[in-house]
Amino acid sequence: MPFRLRAVSTALALTVLQIGATGSAGAQGATAPAAASSSTAEPAATAAASQPAAMGEWMRYSSLIGPSKYGNNFSRYDYVNAEAPKGGTLNQIAAGTFDSFNPFVVRGTAAAGMSSGVGGFGGGIIYDTLTEQSTEEGSTSYGMIAEEMRFASDYSSASFRLDPKARWHDGQPITVEDVLWSFDTLRKLHPQWSSYYHNVTKAEQTGEREVTFTFDQAGNRELPNIMGDLVVLPKHWWTGVDASGKPRDITQPTMEPPLGSGPYKIASWRAGSEIEWERVPDSWAKDHPTRIGRYNYDRIRYVYLRDSNAQWEAFKKGGLDDWRLENSTQRWVEGYNFPAAVDGRVTKTVLPNRQVRSMQAYVLNNRLPKFSDPRVRKALTLAFNFEDMNRTLFYGLNERISSYWYNSELAATGLPSEAELKYLEPLRGQIPDEVFTQPFKLPVYDTQASTREYLRDALALFREAGYVLKGTALIDPATGAQMTIEILGDDPSDNRILEPYARQLERLGIRTNVRIVDTSQYVDRMTNFDFEVVGIAYYPQSISPGNEQRDFWGSAAARAPGSRNYAGVNSPIVDKLIDDIVYAPDRPSLVAATRALDRVMLWNWYVVPQWTRTETWLAAWNKFGMPATQPAYAGIDPFSWWVKGEVPVNTPADQAAAEKSESAPAIPPAKP
């Protein structure tokens, strides 16, 4: 299931993604995937051809992992303060710039708050969705625009009954017609949407306030939940005319503030540099169980800055950025010695992170001939000295990530279990033999001897792949020239994590260049897969993976600019294992199929795994009241906080520190 929580800030999104302002991008939608495993899925179209399956009971929630803790009696989240006061302003920093209020199209970079992720996925703080994902429980959603939902017994269709109270900000009701128009429109606008919805054969009105989606296959337990994530847009607004009488066009960027239904609407903006949102006090869902005690700020203001150093300085100054998830070990250990942090106006908190840690890696663009040989990719992995970087740059606080679903039961460990072999045995001979015989292990640079050993092994693999070492240059057999690699980044501070790996590759005779570009160019190059190697953390995974895996690793996505298959994985085997996940009949099967895919991906060396942390570092100005606990699944819920009073930010000590800083040499790039 796609991991999505309502956007809390662009800063948070960028912390998670670590790929700059991702924007929206893409071309045509992904095509249908490879045939699903016969052990886990029905043949295509059988659901449509057979007698319609019996529909289940109407429910106020859906869950892929078991009954909800609240069930149909959900009245509010336990952790929130139902009496939290409304008021105040949340200040946040956003990275880069923006030039559109339409997050659903290829062109333009949408403003902060417009959506919750890449390709406009999620409604941000302006649009509501049919259902809303729980902050407390993974793969659990509660009715939002749809007050209730029910699914076919074989998951071949899903029906949603709209809440009669659901309204747009102009007071007009949200209708089935809006839902159908949104579905038809969104899947034409971005490959992410077409990929998620390509199994939907029909969307129709089946009652006064009821919409039903019919699927071309049975057994996809996740697809009904995915349909609940549908962002519902106002058809009457988007098909109407603007103030000048010009017809609106949802296929193009726009700087006209759109009509929404969510807790906030756009109050003011300066194109590219600032946007301010205001709470809608009479929004239709203000007393909804998912909203009680939440969305307490009267205003949310995003100020755009172009690099992480400027963002850090803005946080220290105060008044521009009220909280941040710190991802720099150097700053966390050494940087919080400015006056506000010393006297308690800024606090630091360490929270456990129980979420799946998605792969963070030096991603190799497997579309390029130089990375087409798995021996080359393995050699590049052997050359990465994590232990040295962790010791010298990260204060020993990072841990090596060794799974695409790290920190969860979905991660492959040891040798395959009997349940995993059910998916792997039919692939014997088509996947690396090591999948069956060896636990996957990454190199550990713990001694000088191991350093020499891994570099020797890497060179041996290059030789097996046809490369020749001439003097100090590794010669590419295809060109007769020295092998070269460019590593892409979008912030000067990226040099700190890219240069050490580049120097290690140069020891193998590879001429390596670190290229730092501005955010707009970076987004464009990522959108069009115009890179060789890039260091990123993949879009967050959930504990119930499903259709979104096609966009991460599917062959069709590898050929679709704007998809999230950055590595360019193009494998019918991977496609088949993704379908095994999508059509897993129960939770144990889903876990086994995901572990099987994890093993195959790891042993094909598509990326060079980097590092992660299983705790969250929160730094905040002491202006917030917070519930005693935060949601276990989401980790933090800043929308459950409230402003208890503004904190003074310009004390004499601050001014003295600022004057000293102005006379000091330029601040060096932040360390990782």
Side-chain angles (χ1 to χ4, degrees):
M1 183 176 186
F3 182 100
R4 177 184 60 78
L5 299 172
R6 185 174 294 276
V8 296
S9 72
T10 300
L12 173 56
L14 297 181
T15 298
V16 174
L17 292 174
Q18 294 187 352
I19 57 172
T22 51
S24 56
Q28 299 302 311
T31 57
S37 166
S38 60
S39 64
T40 58
E42 296 185 12
T46 57
S50 62
Q51 187 75 14
M55 296 296 290
E57 296 181 359
W58 289 104
M59 298 283 289
R60 292 181 61 192
Y61 78 95
S62 64
S63 177
L64 295 176
I65 58 175
S68 159
K69 66 179 288 188
Y70 299 109
N72 282 330
N73 298 317
F74 180 42
S75 60
R76 68 174 178 86
Y77 291 122
D78 286 343
Y79 67 88
V80 302
N81 174 8
E83 305 301 322
K86 306 293 185 184
T89 298
L90 171 66
N91 300 292
Q92 293 277 256
I93 292 297
T97 186
F98 73 94
D99 57 12
S100 176
F101 294 143
N102 182 0
F104 307 109
V105 295
V106 172
R107 293 180 52 212
T109 301
M114 293 301 307
S115 66
S116 307
V118 181
F121 188 73
I125 56 177
I126 185 172
Y127 299 114
D128 287 324
T129 48
L130 285 176
T131 64
E132 183 159 310
Q133 291 185 20
S134 171
T135 60
E136 282 198 283
E137 302 169 274
S139 303
T140 300
S141 297
Y142 293 99
M144 177 53 69
I145 290 175
E147 63 177 350
E148 293 181 308
M149 64 210 84
R150 64 177 181 176
F151 310 145
S153 57
D154 63 353
Y155 300 99
S156 60
S157 68
S159 296
F160 299 86
R161 188 159 61 194
L162 305 194
D163 190 326
K165 300 188 295 294
R167 292 287 188 275
W168 300 108
H169 290 159
D170 64 0
Q172 291 199 37
I174 300 176
T175 66
V176 168
E177 186 177 9
D178 289 321
V179 176
L180 296 176
W181 182 83
S182 300
F183 169 74
D184 288 335
T185 301
L186 289 174
R187 65 176 178 173
K188 297 173 184 176
L189 294 180
H190 198 281
Q192 174 177 293
W193 297 93
S194 58
S195 174
Y196 284 158
Y197 299 144
H198 80 264
N199 284 115
V200 182
T201 60
K202 184 168 56 175
E204 59 185 330
Q205 182 165 355
T206 50
E208 181 184 358
R209 293 181 286 109
E210 181 180 320
V211 59
T212 297
F213 300 96
T214 303
F215 313 137
D216 64 4
Q217 290 185 336
N220 186 337
R221 298 171 61 246
E222 183 200 27
L223 193 50
N225 275 33
I226 288 177
M227 301 316 302
D229 287 333
L230 176 68
V231 178
V232 181
L233 305 174
K235 178 183 178 182
H236 70 282
W237 191 88
W238 279 106
T239 58
V241 297
D242 62 21
S244 66
K246 181 181 178 182
R248 298 185 178 98
D249 184 358
I250 196 171
T251 69
Q252 300 299 319
T254 180
M255 287 302 290
E256 180 186 12
L259 177 68
S261 59
Y264 291 89
K265 64 180 181 180
I266 296 172
S268 62
W269 75 94
R270 289 188 298 155
S273 61
E274 183 176 337
I275 180 171
E276 186 166 305
W277 297 80
E278 62 180 351
R279 185 170 56 85
V280 181
D282 58 350
S283 65
W284 76 272
K286 65 183 178 63
D287 296 321
H288 189 276
T290 65
R291 302 282 167 85
I292 292 176
R294 304 178 69 232
Y295 302 102
N296 301 313
Y297 314 112
D298 274 351
R299 292 189 172 256
I300 300 176
R301 182 172 67 117
Y302 296 95
V303 174
Y304 278 78
L305 297 174
R306 292 188 178 272
D307 64 66
S308 62
N309 241 11
Q311 294 163 27
W312 168 239
E313 293 302 317
F315 175 74
K316 289 164 56 179
K317 178 181 178 182
L320 292 174
D321 197 14
D322 292 335
W323 67 270
R324 61 184 278 127
L325 294 182
E326 186 57 74
N327 64 349
S328 166
T329 54
Q330 186 272 337
R331 278 196 295 264
W332 189 251
V333 174
E334 297 180 350
Y336 286 81
N337 56 1
F338 53 96
V342 172
D343 64 26
R345 284 174 292 148
V346 169
T347 61
K348 295 168 62 179
T349 306
V350 177
L351 301 168
N353 192 321
R354 300 180 179 90
Q355 295 173 357
V356 181
R357 308 307 294 158
S358 60
M359 178 58 73
Q360 180 168 323
Y362 298 107
V363 175
L364 312 176
N365 190 343
N366 288 255
R367 301 169 186 84
L368 304 177
K370 68 174 66 179
F371 301 131
S372 62
D373 192 323
R375 292 170 296 189
V376 169
R377 302 194 297 265
K378 181 178 180 181
L380 295 174
T381 302
L382 292 180
F384 175 47
N385 187 339
F386 163 74
E387 285 70 27
D388 187 58
M389 288 183 66
N390 197 34
R391 183 180 66 257
T392 60
L393 296 180
F394 306 148
Y395 301 82
L397 296 176
N398 287 346
E399 53 193 277
R400 189 75 187 271
I401 191 166
S402 57
S403 168
Y404 289 85
W405 286 271
Y406 192 79
N407 198 38
S408 78
E409 66 172 338
L410 301 171
T413 58
L415 293 174
S417 66
E418 183 176 344
E420 294 170 60
L421 290 173
K422 167 186 168 185
Y423 298 100
L424 294 170
E425 279 293 354
L427 307 176
R428 191 180 285 272
Q430 304 173 70
I431 59 179
D433 291 338
E434 293 90 340
V435 168
F436 301 97
T437 61
Q438 298 180 33
F440 182 80
K441 292 182 180 179
L442 291 166
V444 178
Y445 279 76
D446 52 0
T447 65
Q448 281 295 109
S450 64
T451 299
R452 293 190 294 270
E453 177 185 351
Y454 289 129
L455 292 179
R456 281 198 303 266
D457 290 346
L459 279 174
L461 287 167
F462 275 118
R463 291 191 181 98
E464 288 179 20
Y467 287 80
V468 177
L469 188 64
K470 291 186 176 180
T472 59
L474 189 67
I475 304 301
D476 185 338
T479 64
Q482 184 177 9
M483 184 181 189
T484 62
I485 290 178
E486 180 185 88
I487 308 178
L488 184 66
D490 72 332
D491 190 282
S493 66
D494 288 346
N495 280 297
R496 298 288 296 181
I497 60 174
L498 301 181
E499 285 289 354
Y501 184 49
R503 291 195 297 270
Q504 192 78 342
L505 296 183
E506 288 175 347
R507 296 180 66 180
L508 294 173
I510 302 170
R511 189 167 71 248
T512 309
N513 174 51
V514 174
R515 177 80 180 278
I516 305 298
V517 299
D518 62 50
T519 299
S520 296
Q521 185 178 353
Y522 180 87
V523 170
D524 182 70
R525 290 185 63 170
M526 291 298 295
T527 296
N528 294 289
F529 311 127
D530 180 19
F531 67 91
E532 294 188 353
V533 176
V534 63
I536 62 172
Y538 273 95
Y539 199 68
Q541 292 276 14
S542 81
I543 61 173
S544 292
N547 285 24
E548 76 284 351
Q549 303 305 310
R550 293 167 175 156
D551 196 45
F552 292 163
W553 329 113
S555 297
R559 301 185 292 271
S563 82
R564 290 170 291 178
N565 188 348
Y566 303 116
V569 178
N570 186 0
S571 164
I573 298 301
V574 170
D575 293 340
K576 179 184 180 301
L577 289 170
I578 291 173
D579 281 348
D580 287 336
I581 292 172
V582 170
Y583 295 102
D586 49 44
R587 179 69 185 176
S589 299
L590 175 72
V591 171
T594 305
R595 290 175 178 174
L597 176 59
D598 195 24
R599 293 182 190 280
V600 170
M601 294 279 291
L602 291 169
W603 280 109
N604 272 289
W605 310 98
Y606 292 121
V607 303
V608 179
Q610 290 181 334
W611 51 79
T612 190
R613 284 191 295 272
T614 53
E615 59 186 24
T616 296
W617 296 342
L618 171 65
W621 282 82
N622 190 18
K623 62 181 282 185
F624 299 108
M626 300 182 183
T629 60
Q630 287 288 281
Y633 179 64
I636 63 169
D637 177 11
F639 283 125
S640 69
W641 307 347
W642 59 94
V643 175
K644 64 181 183 181
E646 295 296 332
V647 178
V649 295
N650 291 314
T651 67
D654 293 323
Q655 184 62 38
E659 292 173 356
K660 181 179 180 181
S661 175
E662 289 173 2
S663 64
I667 299 172
K671 298 180 181 179

